[in-house]
Amino acid sequence: MKHGTLLLMTFLFLALSASVAAQDAVVRTKMFGINPLGLPFGIYSGHLGFIVNDGANEINIPFFYWDINDGELTIISVGAKYRFYKTGGGKGPFYGPTFQVVSVNWEYSDDYEDDETITAVLFTPGGEIGYRWSWDNGFTFAPCIGAGFTIGDVKSSDGEEADYSSGLAWSLGLGFAYMF
């Protein structure tokens, strides 16, 4: 009986040890990141991301804030990206569609000192490609480049158009993030 109990305890210990060792590989499926490229220009941007489908895809929610000339032109954006990972695992090459909703607030003054506040909502469908590197400590780096087409206009009552209006839009990101 003592040998059977010892054998059972040894088996349970080995089984539990193997189970704990198998759990050492942490599966990280959420991330929070920033894009430092715009910081010298006062642009604050980042993203929340979720790895889904066993790493085959990523749902990414980017956000963006830019205040030019102390409120003369303020741009706030939120969007959605759906990334397909060619090799799976939530890393390596990716591509996918993007969509942004952009809120623009423009404090406009014409030559006659007439002031006007113009607000507009613009939409930018597009796409992007990139590559994600991931490390065991949770940090990732995902440079990407994208293009889209902004739909909508930001115009004053006298017809003056803001620099940020409809047309081709491009994006460049570094995507430093921490996965948890």
Side-chain angles (χ1 to χ4, degrees):
M1 219 39 172
K2 288 183 180 181
H3 294 290
T5 305
L6 182 61
L7 186 59
L8 180 61
M9 294 293 279
T10 304
F11 175 75
L12 285 174
F13 174 77
L14 291 174
L16 286 173
S17 297
S19 174
V20 169
Q23 293 178 6
D24 283 345
V26 177
V27 177
R28 300 171 194 263
T29 59
K30 300 172 194 76
M31 71 184 81
F32 177 77
I34 62 166
N35 181 7
L37 284 178
L39 289 175
F41 308 102
I43 300 171
Y44 304 98
S45 63
H47 68 275
L48 295 171
F50 306 92
I51 302 294
V52 295
N53 299 333
D54 294 325
N57 306 104
E58 176 185 343
I59 298 169
N60 191 290
I61 303 167
F63 50 88
F64 175 94
Y65 174 81
W66 192 13
D67 184 3
I68 304 167
N69 295 333
D70 293 325
E72 184 178 313
L73 180 63
T74 304
I75 303 168
I76 300 172
S77 171
V78 68
K81 299 177 178 183
Y82 195 81
R83 293 173 169 170
F84 297 92
Y85 285 91
K86 186 171 172 68
T87 57
K91 55 186 167 184
F94 62 82
Y95 61 92
T98 64
F99 186 79
Q100 279 185 292
V101 178
V102 182
S103 171
V104 178
N105 188 33
W106 183 27
E107 297 295 331
Y108 173 71
S109 294
D110 63 13
D111 294 334
Y112 304 105
E113 301 295 327
D114 293 331
D115 294 339
E116 182 179 0
T117 299
I118 298 132
T119 57
V121 176
L122 310 173
F123 303 96
T124 307
E128 71 174 355
I129 59 171
Y131 194 95
R132 178 176 303 283
W133 286 273
S134 297
W135 292 273
D136 292 338
N137 61 7
F139 287 101
T140 72
F141 175 58
C144 62
I145 188 166
F149 191 83
T150 301
I151 301 166
D153 291 320
V154 182
K155 287 186 180 181
S156 68
S157 58
D158 66 358
E160 182 73 23
E161 191 169 327
D163 291 337
Y164 194 88
S165 221
S166 64
L168 185 63
W170 61 274
S171 63
L172 181 64
L174 289 183
F176 289 106
Y178 180 75
M179 293 184 77
F180 52 96

